[in-house]
Amino acid sequence: MKLMLFQIERCRPYFICLMGDRFGWSQTEVKKDEILNMTFNYAIENNPNLKWIDNYRYNTSVTQLEIFHGVLNNPDDVKDKCFFYLRDPPSQNDVSPELYKRLVSESEWHKKQQDYLKSLVQQHPKISVKKFKQADEVSELIKQDLKGCVDQEFPIGSELTKLEQQGEAHAAFASQRCRVYIGNQNYFTEINKHRSQNISQPFIILGESGCGKSALVANWAKQIADSEKDTFIFLHFIGSSADSAHYIKMIRRLFEEMKVFFSFDMQIPSSDTVLIHEIGKWLRMAGSLTKCVIVFDAVNQLDDGSGVGESTEHDLLWIPSDIPPNVFLLISTLPGRAMNACIEAGFPSMRVRPLQESQKMQIITDYLEGIYGKSLTTEQKEMIINVKQTSNPLYLKSLLDEVRMFGSFRTLTNKISEYLSAESPQDLFAKILERLEEEFEKGQNPRKDLVRDATTALWCSNRGMSESELVELLDIPSAVWSPFYISLYENLVNRNGILNFFHDHLRQAVERKYIPTHEAKVKGYLCLADFHAAKDTTDRTVEELPFLLTKAGQLERLKETITDLEVFYRLSDNEDGIFELIKAWKTLGGFDLSEEAYMSKVQKIPKKDIMQNSTYFCKLYSRLGNFFLIIGIMEAAKKIFKTLIKQLELNYGESHGTVVYNVHDHTWKYRCKHPDVIKGLHELGTVYSKLGEYDKAVRVYIDAINRQNRVTTPTQKLQLCEGLLGLSTVYIQKEDMLKAKKLMLRALELATFVLGKKHNFVAAIFTRLGQLSYKQGRVDEALAYCLHDLKVTRSEVGTNHPRTAIVLNEIGLIYDDKNDSMATQLYEAALSIFLETYGKNFLGTGTIRYNLGALYLGTNHFAQSKYQFTESYRVYVLFLGEDHPETKAVKQALDVVSTMAPYE
């Protein structure tokens, strides 16, 4: 009964009931049912919220209890979402005698009780009641009612975006930790005190694993959300999902959330480097509009995907050195490199301490007795309080969850003693797994290896598993799955229907117990891969299958999977998917393989399919072309973009046509000016430029610009700016500086009109003009342009922003060319900003070090020059490899200076 009513709770507010003439399992005070009474007792003892059912112990069926609990106790909560279907009384002429006997009431008493229950349902004004005769009739009624619910709750167009899905996942993780908070309210006071001081540094929560840091930040953030409705709150729980640990993805998600919340009209930087540059600026804009709370939980779990463990992201140099006013950044971490970085930076912090004995007693009373009505003897409480391991909140909560579910009071003391023999949370979870094995693999309705198979599937999965996926994979009926799921419920987190482990200690326990060897893990990955491969291609299969095949070492299957155009289409829809594609092709041996694989697939697409679904295939071509552009396969990108433009012109030629004059042959031609066509031409121009086919690039850019012969909206004007700047870049490569400058000035005028003088996009054009003037030998003019950019940039982002460092480096080059000693100060200032922001392992740092090395070499400071060239070469090798032309140039300079300073 406890299980049954719990399942009804999980389904709220939806409830479906089919009622016939039979009343069902019940008892009277005269004729009692011992098993039914035991069921009542167990449900009441183990859940104080079910005490109401004691009033319906007699003369009430189990079905009636379900109806009361699901609907009649709180009918307003399920309005328009509960459905009853009453079967007409059977006729002896329509069914066999055996079936008739099973359909009619058990007795006159049962009939009277059932008729009364039906009347309660039918007379209620807020309950939908329909009648049926046959099974196919009621199945159609149910289908229509459920479809109506889906249409009402999730109308077309209300689908969650990728960003919303990510937000929901983190909200679910936080919600799980807000069920019951085991901690110290004084921690809230301490956090609030530092927040009220408007500190300009992050506030750090330190503590051991399982001490309750995640629960603390989740509950504190919930308090803020409940009391400050206008505050922007961003929660990111690192380790809560497979893609939550990459710090660039985390930062990008922060930008996306800010853009949506504040309706910023700026583009989110596509470059990872620029993204980090812009954090301070975006936070400053957000803080100027309202209070902001940013939470990064468990930064010790950051992972850049390289597989090398703790790396530079744990140095936390991506965190702005100066947190703007009105912005509070809260960070938690375990001991390790991230914690050391926080301590060395002098960030204010608070340490979460182990629980004291008085706190343990309070938790036992409030949690076990107050919420679940489970009482312990004084001896049992002292057993729990007096051991060191229960000072860990995770250990204590997990133990209390086991205690409250244990059925035998007589043997409870021995069971507690057995659990307390576990020295750590991981050891405790191992014992919990053993208890689950005993209960579900050897008890009633046993299923061999249920615990191993279910938890191994969760461990091996990329993001987790849905209930339906697990039930299908395990091939078990609901009667087996439901009680097992409820027993594991407190140790799982549900993110948008995808289940995963609540805490890493359980994950570790599963690994140690069931899949300790590489062979066992591969077997688990393959089992899950086969399961997903047998299904139709969906977003779920593409987020799981490549990951599983990679982990299993099934490279041929991996190649076959990511080469499938539908899989590629779904993965390339977002940056995370593109990142997964890049990783997969690197694993397979390199990007060159992708060209042959995808081009072969594209060539085999029937033309009739393209014509019938041109919108889909245009998106596919666009994504494929951009993917080739990203990975540097230019010839393939060129073919794809040309195909894309041709198809787009077929789609939009009539609706977005314009007449363009060709100055070369003095003819007028009909062209398509749809924004997607213009964008495709820009992309094709970029490809030609990278291939060194500058004349073709010029023709393509001019074609795109000429098609925009009437621009009226800001979007159209900025797209024209992009075309002008793209064309100017090609002219610079052709060393036609005059034409390049004219185009840049035209773009500058247009961008300034749309965005204003102080926008960073406008300022960046000034630097491009400065670079152009510098190449022309017009040093003073270049200096003027760059100084203007510096003025705008400093006013926007401050003096210590990486964007400022970029402009300082450009100005340094100009002063260097003028043999002015100011160049040294400019380079060193830019280098200082980069080192403070990113540390020594950053490509931009290597570039400035190269410039400094060249300056020192020219002034005969050979030792200093050698040091800068050595560091620059190390960084270039790290990021670009030894064979890159720029790396070779640095190596050549290093070799030269090494002969001049051989002993340094």
Side-chain angles (χ1 to χ4, degrees):
M1 188 176 297
K2 176 174 174 279
L3 171 63
M4 169 193 73
L5 298 179
F6 176 80
Q7 293 287 44
I8 291 174
E9 284 290 334
R10 291 184 61 214
C11 293
R12 289 192 189 278
Y14 300 99
F15 187 87
I16 290 177
C17 181
L18 280 71
M19 298 182 69
D21 290 342
R22 298 185 71 82
F23 188 50
W25 193 16
S26 57
Q27 64 177 348
T28 66
E29 291 185 85
V30 176
K31 190 176 181 180
K32 297 180 179 180
D33 186 311
E34 182 179 355
I35 295 178
L36 184 56
N37 267 319
M38 288 174 58
T39 302
F40 267 92
N41 294 338
Y42 183 83
I44 294 168
E45 290 171 7
N46 286 276
N47 191 336
N49 294 323
L50 296 180
K51 289 181 179 179
W52 65 270
I53 67 174
D54 200 28
N55 298 325
Y56 297 93
R57 188 180 289 265
Y58 304 108
N59 302 321
T60 303
S61 69
V62 172
T63 302
Q64 187 170 344
L65 283 178
E66 291 178 303
I67 294 172
F68 274 31
H69 190 55
V71 180
L72 294 179
N73 286 349
N74 298 287
D76 289 338
D77 295 343
V78 292
K79 181 183 178 182
D80 300 327
K81 295 178 178 63
C82 63
F83 306 96
F84 284 78
Y85 308 94
L86 277 55
R87 190 188 61 227
D88 290 339
S91 170
Q92 287 182 294
N93 298 327
D94 296 334
V95 297
S96 66
E98 294 79 9
L99 180 57
Y100 181 79
K101 186 177 180 180
R102 293 203 305 269
L103 294 177
V104 297
S105 297
E106 302 93 323
S107 68
E108 281 300 319
W109 180 85
H110 288 92
K111 184 178 186 305
K112 180 180 177 182
Q113 298 298 115
Q114 183 71 346
D115 288 344
Y116 172 70
L117 178 58
K118 286 182 179 180
S119 68
L120 290 178
V121 171
Q122 290 177 297
Q123 293 170 11
H124 202 289
K126 296 181 179 180
I127 296 177
S128 169
V129 180
K130 297 175 181 177
K131 295 186 177 183
F132 71 96
K133 292 183 178 181
Q134 303 295 331
D136 56 351
E137 182 183 355
V138 72
S139 66
E140 184 61 30
L141 292 173
I142 294 172
K143 177 182 177 182
Q144 292 302 319
D145 286 333
L146 288 179
K147 185 177 183 300
C149 286
V150 171
D151 292 340
Q152 180 181 358
E153 291 291 323
F154 311 103
I156 295 175
S158 67
E159 298 86 354
L160 292 180
T161 63
K162 187 73 175 179
L163 177 63
E164 289 170 334
Q165 291 174 25
Q166 292 173 343
E168 288 285 325
H170 288 278
F173 191 85
S175 177
Q176 190 87 355
R177 280 147 180 79
C178 291
R179 287 183 190 165
V180 179
Y181 176 57
I182 299 178
N184 191 333
Q185 293 293 323
N186 292 333
Y187 294 144
F188 289 1
T189 303
E190 183 73 9
I191 298 172
N192 289 330
K193 182 184 77 173
H194 282 82
R195 184 185 177 214
S196 66
Q197 294 171 353
N198 210 13
I199 58 177
S200 61
Q201 293 176 300
F203 185 64
I204 313 299
I205 297 177
L206 309 174
E208 301 292 332
S209 179
C211 70
K213 298 184 299 300
S214 297
L216 169 61
V217 300
N219 282 273
W220 176 81
K222 184 177 185 299
Q223 280 194 358
I224 299 300
D226 291 342
S227 60
E228 302 178 17
K229 301 299 183 184
D230 294 330
T231 296
F232 170 72
I233 300 176
F234 176 83
L235 300 178
H236 192 95
F237 293 91
I238 300 157
S240 64
S241 64
D243 60 352
S244 65
H246 199 288
Y247 79 107
I248 292 296
K249 293 181 180 179
M250 176 179 72
I251 295 169
R252 190 169 297 282
R253 181 178 159 250
L254 171 60
F255 273 65
E256 291 171 348
E257 290 284 7
M258 285 192 289
K259 181 171 183 176
V260 171
F261 186 90
F262 294 104
S263 299
F264 289 156
D265 61 356
M266 300 178 299
Q267 290 295 318
I268 297 172
S270 57
S271 162
D272 294 347
T273 303
V274 178
L275 190 75
I276 295 174
H277 289 176
E278 297 283 311
I279 295 177
K281 174 184 174 181
W282 281 58
L283 289 179
R284 188 174 293 105
M285 290 189 301
S288 69
L289 297 172
T290 189
K291 294 178 181 178
C292 301
V293 170
I294 315 293
V295 175
F296 296 142
D297 178 59
V299 293
N300 56 284
Q301 294 189 57
L302 287 172
D303 183 2
D304 63 1
S306 63
V308 298
E310 289 190 323
S311 189
T312 54
E313 69 270 15
H314 293 94
D315 294 328
L316 307 184
L317 296 175
W318 46 270
I319 294 176
S321 58
D322 186 26
I323 305 300
N326 234 17
V327 177
F328 184 65
L329 177 56
L330 183 64
I331 293 174
S332 75
T333 182
L334 288 179
R337 187 166 171 175
M339 180 184 283
N340 295 338
C342 293
I343 295 172
E344 291 171 8
F347 295 155
S349 63
M350 174 187 74
R351 187 173 293 274
V352 178
R353 305 289 179 182
L355 296 171
Q356 302 300 309
E357 290 187 2
S358 60
Q359 292 174 307
K360 297 183 194 180
M361 179 62 78
Q362 186 67 41
I363 289 166
I364 293 173
T365 302
D366 292 349
Y367 182 60
L368 203 58
E369 299 179 6
I371 296 178
Y372 292 102
K374 185 87 171 185
S375 298
L376 299 181
T377 66
T378 301
E379 177 192 2
Q380 291 166 344
K381 291 178 182 178
E382 289 179 351
M383 287 175 63
I384 295 173
I385 291 170
N386 292 334
V387 295
K388 180 181 177 181
Q389 53 266 42
T390 55
S391 297
N392 182 293
L394 175 65
Y395 186 108
L396 179 57
K397 180 182 181 298
S398 301
L399 173 65
L400 295 180
D401 284 332
E402 287 297 295
V403 167
R404 70 178 175 80
M405 289 189 291
F406 192 72
S408 174
F409 184 80
R410 287 177 299 174
T411 60
L412 180 57
T413 300
N414 292 335
K415 196 65 180 177
I416 292 174
S417 178
E418 178 188 338
Y419 279 131
L420 291 175
S421 66
E423 295 291 334
S424 67
Q426 187 180 130
D427 293 336
L428 178 61
F429 280 120
K431 290 186 175 295
I432 293 172
L433 292 173
E434 291 174 3
R435 190 266 301 173
L436 291 169
E437 289 176 344
E438 189 69 26
E439 184 173 348
F440 294 100
E441 296 179 8
K442 300 176 183 178
Q444 188 178 10
N445 296 323
R447 194 280 196 183
K448 188 175 183 295
D449 297 326
L450 172 62
V451 183
R452 183 200 67 187
D453 293 348
T455 56
T456 296
L458 290 174
W459 191 95
C460 290
S461 65
N462 184 23
R463 302 184 188 276
M465 299 280 286
S466 69
E467 273 195 73
S468 60
E469 287 170 348
L470 281 167
V471 169
E472 182 180 351
L473 175 71
L474 300 171
D475 191 23
I476 55 175
S478 296
V480 175
W481 166 255
S482 293
F484 173 67
Y485 173 69
I486 290 171
S487 292
L488 202 56
Y489 180 72
E490 289 292 337
N491 295 307
L492 299 176
V493 61
N494 187 323
R495 306 185 194 97
N496 295 319
I498 302 299
L499 303 174
N500 215 322
F501 297 119
F502 177 78
H503 202 282
D504 202 47
H505 284 298
L506 177 55
R507 178 181 295 277
Q508 294 167 7
V510 169
E511 179 182 11
R512 189 169 62 179
K513 184 175 179 63
Y514 298 123
I515 42 177
T517 65
H518 174 72
E519 292 73 19
K521 292 180 176 67
V522 168
K523 183 179 178 181
Y525 290 132
L526 275 177
C527 176
L528 213 50
D530 292 340
F531 172 76
H532 285 291
K535 297 180 171 296
D536 293 335
T537 301
T538 64
D539 289 343
R540 276 291 295 144
T541 56
V542 301
E543 70 182 4
E544 291 290 335
L545 197 51
F547 168 85
L548 294 166
L549 293 172
T550 301
K551 287 290 188 180
Q554 296 282 300
L555 300 189
E556 283 300 318
R557 287 182 64 185
L558 173 63
K559 182 179 180 182
E560 180 183 347
T561 298
I562 63 172
T563 303
D564 182 279
L565 292 179
E566 179 61 20
V567 172
F568 174 86
Y569 181 85
R570 291 176 180 272
L571 279 174
S572 59
D573 181 42
N574 55 79
E575 290 189 9
D576 291 346
I578 292 172
F579 180 68
E580 292 300 322
L581 283 167
I582 290 173
K583 283 199 305 183
W585 284 111
K586 282 184 177 180
T587 301
L588 290 169
F591 299 136
D592 291 343
L593 298 172
S594 68
E595 177 182 4
E596 179 184 354
Y598 288 129
M599 294 304 291
S600 175
K601 288 280 187 177
V602 167
Q603 290 166 4
K604 294 177 182 177
I605 302 174
K607 288 186 177 180
K608 65 174 183 177
D609 290 353
I610 296 174
M611 297 304 297
Q612 291 173 356
N613 198 357
S614 61
T615 301
Y616 168 84
F617 283 105
C618 283
K619 289 181 179 179
L620 174 65
Y621 290 145
S622 178
R623 293 175 187 179
L624 189 55
N626 278 294
F627 180 70
F628 285 139
L629 193 58
I630 290 169
I631 63 178
I633 309 295
M634 296 303 162
E635 285 294 341
K638 180 173 69 174
K639 294 176 184 176
I640 291 296
F641 281 131
K642 289 173 79 171
T643 303
L644 169 64
I645 293 167
K646 183 178 179 181
Q647 186 60 49
L648 286 169
E649 287 179 327
L650 286 173
N651 292 352
Y652 301 114
E654 292 186 12
S655 60
H656 291 73
T658 187
V659 177
V660 177
Y661 181 70
N662 190 320
V663 295
H664 296 292
D665 58 10
H666 306 288
T667 60
W668 294 89
K669 294 185 178 180
Y670 189 83
R671 291 285 185 262
C672 178
K673 63 176 182 178
H674 190 276
D676 289 349
V677 176
I678 304 300
K679 181 183 176 184
L681 289 168
H682 290 170
E683 289 165 333
L684 181 59
T686 301
V687 172
Y688 276 132
S689 178
K690 289 183 179 294
L691 286 170
E693 300 179 24
Y694 301 128
D695 291 338
K696 291 182 179 179
V698 168
R699 286 199 294 271
V700 169
Y701 274 118
I702 290 177
D703 185 16
I705 292 168
N706 288 341
R707 294 184 190 212
Q708 289 189 269
N709 47 21
R710 291 188 65 185
V711 291
T712 55
T713 68
T715 301
Q716 290 173 335
K717 292 174 182 177
L718 290 178
Q719 190 172 41
L720 179 57
C721 280
E722 291 170 359
L724 295 170
L725 291 172
L727 181 57
S728 71
T729 300
V730 180
Y731 278 130
I732 290 174
Q733 292 165 329
K734 288 170 63 68
E735 298 187 357
D736 191 338
M737 304 303 176
L738 183 60
K739 286 184 178 179
K741 187 172 183 179
K742 287 182 178 179
L743 291 165
M744 283 189 187
L745 289 173
R746 185 180 170 194
L748 176 64
E749 180 183 3
L750 194 55
T752 303
F753 177 78
V754 175
L755 301 171
K757 294 181 179 180
K758 294 185 177 181
H759 195 279
N760 62 312
F761 180 79
V762 176
I765 298 176
F766 275 101
T767 293
R768 295 177 73 158
L769 282 165
Q771 293 168 340
L772 175 61
S773 297
Y774 179 69
K775 288 183 178 182
Q776 289 178 297
R778 304 159 71 105
V779 178
D780 291 335
E781 185 178 284
L783 183 59
Y785 280 128
C786 290
L787 286 174
H788 179 86
D789 186 7
L790 180 64
K791 180 181 177 180
V792 174
T793 300
R794 278 180 168 171
S795 67
E796 282 283 295
V797 299
T799 58
N800 295 318
H801 195 279
R803 169 77 183 125
T804 303
I806 294 171
V807 184
L808 289 173
N809 181 59
E810 294 295 331
I811 298 174
L813 286 169
I814 297 170
Y815 275 104
D816 195 354
D817 191 71
K818 292 161 66 74
N819 296 318
D820 193 312
S821 60
M822 180 67 72
T824 306
Q825 299 177 42
L826 290 163
Y827 286 144
E828 289 178 345
L831 179 61
S832 176
I833 295 172
F834 271 173
L835 287 173
E836 182 183 354
T837 307
Y838 302 116
K840 59 184 181 181
N841 294 328
F842 175 63
L843 188 58
T845 304
T847 301
I848 298 177
R849 285 195 185 279
Y850 176 80
N851 294 339
L852 258 177
L855 184 148
Y856 286 136
L857 178 61
T859 54
N860 297 326
H861 292 84
F862 302 125
Q864 292 165 292
S865 176
K866 181 180 179 182
Y867 173 75
Q868 298 297 343
F869 281 141
T870 300
E871 283 296 295
S872 177
Y873 179 66
R874 182 185 61 79
V875 172
Y876 272 68
V877 170
L878 182 65
F879 284 91
L880 302 178
E882 295 182 353
D883 296 329
H884 194 279
E886 293 183 28
T887 308
K888 290 180 179 180
V890 180
K891 181 65 165 62
Q892 184 178 3
L894 178 58
D895 290 341
V896 170
V897 78
S898 295
T899 62
M900 300 176 180
Y903 304 111
E904 299 294 338

